Amino acid sequence: MEGIFTVIQGRVQGIGFCEALQKEAQALHVYGWCQEDEEGNIIAIMIGESLAVRQLFRWCKQGPPGAWVTEADDNFIFPEDALYQKTLNLSKNSFII
């Protein structure tokens, strides 16, 4: 299992980024959450098998049609991290928007 916390910057709000991320995550059996912040970014946590999480993160660096991603950081989170623990409380294979 691997977890990534990311802040996705660019033109990423108002285009269905979180909804598209949710669909991609479900197809890869990755779970976590996604939300928009007040500064115009997308914040997401993704947890799952390493290859699937990394593939989903690569998708985040492109985004859905209409997105223009200028930056996405891959901050790995670990089982002892509070964000990881909070995300583990979600149902398996769920992605909360």
Side-chain angles (χ1 to χ4, degrees):
M1 296 287 280
E2 182 169 286
I4 291 180
F5 168 80
T6 186
V7 177
I8 305 161
Q9 300 176 8
R11 186 182 51 178
V12 294
Q13 288 192 5
I15 57 165
F17 199 107
C18 284
E19 291 83 1
L21 176 56
Q22 179 183 34
K23 287 180 184 177
E24 293 291 324
Q26 289 172 336
L28 293 168
H29 304 288
V30 172
Y31 59 106
W33 56 266
C34 178
Q35 68 183 34
E36 297 178 347
D37 72 9
E38 303 84 36
E39 284 114 36
N41 305 313
I42 299 290
I43 299 170
I45 289 186
M46 303 163 277
I47 294 178
E49 295 301 320
S50 291
L51 290 175
V53 169
R54 290 169 191 242
Q55 183 176 343
L56 185 58
F57 177 70
R58 283 192 302 275
W59 179 90
C60 287
K61 292 167 79 173
Q62 304 270 328
W68 181 55
V69 177
T70 58
E71 188 172 342
D73 297 327
D74 56 344
N75 301 294
F76 290 92
I77 56 174
F78 302 96
E80 60 272 12
D81 294 335
L83 285 174
Y84 192 103
Q85 290 300 317
K86 178 181 175 183
T87 305
L88 282 180
N89 290 332
L90 300 173
S91 326
K92 194 74 168 171
N93 293 328
S94 68
F95 209 85
I96 306 300
I97 298 175

